[in-house]
PDB file of all heavy atoms in Angstrom:
ATOM      1  N   CYS A  32       1.115  24.153  13.116  1.00 53.00           N
ATOM      2  CA  CYS A  32       1.530  25.501  13.346  1.00 53.00           C
ATOM      3  C   CYS A  32       0.648  26.521  12.652  1.00 53.00           C
ATOM      4  O   CYS A  32       1.052  27.621  12.428  1.00 53.00           O
ATOM      5  CB  CYS A  32       2.926  25.700  12.885  1.00 53.00           C
ATOM      6  SG  CYS A  32       3.995  24.478  13.520  1.00 53.00           S
ATOM      7  N   SER A 528       8.297  25.503   7.808  1.00 97.00           N
ATOM      8  CA  SER A 528       7.163  25.257   8.723  1.00 97.00           C
ATOM      9  C   SER A 528       6.009  24.628   7.941  1.00 97.00           C
ATOM     10  O   SER A 528       6.036  24.560   6.742  1.00 97.00           O
ATOM     11  CB  SER A 528       6.699  26.572   9.372  1.00 97.00           C
ATOM     12  OG  SER A 528       6.025  27.363   8.398  1.00 97.00           O
ATOM     13  N   ALA A 529       5.027  24.198   8.719  1.00 94.00           N
ATOM     14  CA  ALA A 529       3.729  23.752   8.201  1.00 94.00           C
ATOM     15  C   ALA A 529       3.764  22.439   7.450  1.00 94.00           C
ATOM     16  O   ALA A 529       3.195  21.432   7.919  1.00 94.00           O
ATOM     17  CB  ALA A 529       3.046  24.769   7.353  1.00 94.00           C
ATOM     18  N   HIS A 584       6.435  19.894  20.300  1.00 98.00           N
ATOM     19  CA  HIS A 584       5.020  19.856  20.464  1.00 98.00           C
ATOM     20  C   HIS A 584       4.395  18.989  19.388  1.00 98.00           C
ATOM     21  O   HIS A 584       5.034  18.526  18.489  1.00 98.00           O
ATOM     22  CB  HIS A 584       4.452  21.333  20.433  1.00 98.00           C
ATOM     23  CG  HIS A 584       4.645  22.017  19.139  1.00 98.00           C
ATOM     24  ND1 HIS A 584       5.874  22.344  18.624  1.00 98.00           N
ATOM     25  CD2 HIS A 584       3.736  22.524  18.259  1.00 98.00           C
ATOM     26  CE1 HIS A 584       5.743  22.969  17.488  1.00 98.00           C
ATOM     27  NE2 HIS A 584       4.466  23.044  17.223  1.00 98.00           N
ATOM     28  N   ASP A 588       4.177  19.009  11.817  1.00 97.00           N
ATOM     29  CA  ASP A 588       5.450  19.354  11.169  1.00 97.00           C
ATOM     30  C   ASP A 588       6.638  19.163  12.163  1.00 97.00           C
ATOM     31  O   ASP A 588       7.768  19.479  11.814  1.00 97.00           O
ATOM     32  CB  ASP A 588       5.435  20.769  10.601  1.00 97.00           C
ATOM     33  CG  ASP A 588       5.062  21.881  11.591  1.00 97.00           C
ATOM     34  OD1 ASP A 588       4.336  21.581  12.556  1.00 97.00           O
ATOM     35  OD2 ASP A 588       5.498  23.034  11.397  1.00 97.00           O
ATOM     36  N   HIS A 589       6.355  18.699  13.355  1.00 98.00           N
ATOM     37  CA  HIS A 589       7.419  18.501  14.326  1.00 98.00           C
ATOM     38  C   HIS A 589       7.600  17.086  14.804  1.00 98.00           C
ATOM     39  O   HIS A 589       8.605  16.765  15.489  1.00 98.00           O
ATOM     40  CB  HIS A 589       7.173  19.417  15.555  1.00 98.00           C
ATOM     41  CG  HIS A 589       7.220  20.851  15.210  1.00 98.00           C
ATOM     42  ND1 HIS A 589       8.310  21.657  15.438  1.00 98.00           N
ATOM     43  CD2 HIS A 589       6.330  21.615  14.556  1.00 98.00           C
ATOM     44  CE1 HIS A 589       8.078  22.887  14.974  1.00 98.00           C
ATOM     45  NE2 HIS A 589       6.876  22.865  14.398  1.00 98.00           N
ATOM     46  N   ASP A 704       8.315  25.914  18.476  1.00 98.00           N
ATOM     47  CA  ASP A 704       7.500  27.021  17.966  1.00 98.00           C
ATOM     48  C   ASP A 704       6.991  27.870  19.064  1.00 98.00           C
ATOM     49  O   ASP A 704       6.491  27.398  20.108  1.00 98.00           O
ATOM     50  CB  ASP A 704       6.222  26.432  17.296  1.00 98.00           C
ATOM     51  CG  ASP A 704       6.574  25.793  15.941  1.00 98.00           C
ATOM     52  OD1 ASP A 704       7.768  25.777  15.526  1.00 98.00           O
ATOM     53  OD2 ASP A 704       5.660  25.293  15.222  1.00 98.00           O
ATOM     54  N   HIS A 740       3.396  32.540  16.527  1.00 98.00           N
ATOM     55  CA  HIS A 740       4.764  32.372  16.068  1.00 98.00           C
ATOM     56  C   HIS A 740       5.522  33.663  16.307  1.00 98.00           C
ATOM     57  O   HIS A 740       4.987  34.694  16.774  1.00 98.00           O
ATOM     58  CB  HIS A 740       4.787  32.028  14.560  1.00 98.00           C
ATOM     59  CG  HIS A 740       4.395  30.594  14.289  1.00 98.00           C
ATOM     60  ND1 HIS A 740       5.067  29.523  14.802  1.00 98.00           N
ATOM     61  CD2 HIS A 740       3.396  30.077  13.524  1.00 98.00           C
ATOM     62  CE1 HIS A 740       4.523  28.419  14.312  1.00 98.00           C
ATOM     63  NE2 HIS A 740       3.496  28.714  13.572  1.00 98.00           N
ATOM     64  N   HIS A 762      12.639  27.439  10.939  1.00 98.00           N
ATOM     65  CA  HIS A 762      11.149  27.266  10.904  1.00 98.00           C
ATOM     66  C   HIS A 762      10.503  28.424  10.073  1.00 98.00           C
ATOM     67  O   HIS A 762       9.576  29.080  10.565  1.00 98.00           O
ATOM     68  CB  HIS A 762      10.588  27.228  12.290  1.00 98.00           C
ATOM     69  CG  HIS A 762       9.182  26.733  12.356  1.00 98.00           C
ATOM     70  ND1 HIS A 762       8.072  27.566  12.297  1.00 98.00           N
ATOM     71  CD2 HIS A 762       8.671  25.435  12.585  1.00 98.00           C
ATOM     72  CE1 HIS A 762       6.984  26.825  12.371  1.00 98.00           C
ATOM     73  NE2 HIS A 762       7.275  25.590  12.545  1.00 98.00           N
TER      74      HIS A 762
HETATM   75 ZN1   ZN B   1       5.819  24.277  13.333  1.00 68.44          ZN
END
Side-chain angles (χ1 to χ4, degrees):
C32 309
S528 72
H584 64 296
D588 56 333
H589 296 258
D704 286 1
H740 284 301
H762 195 272

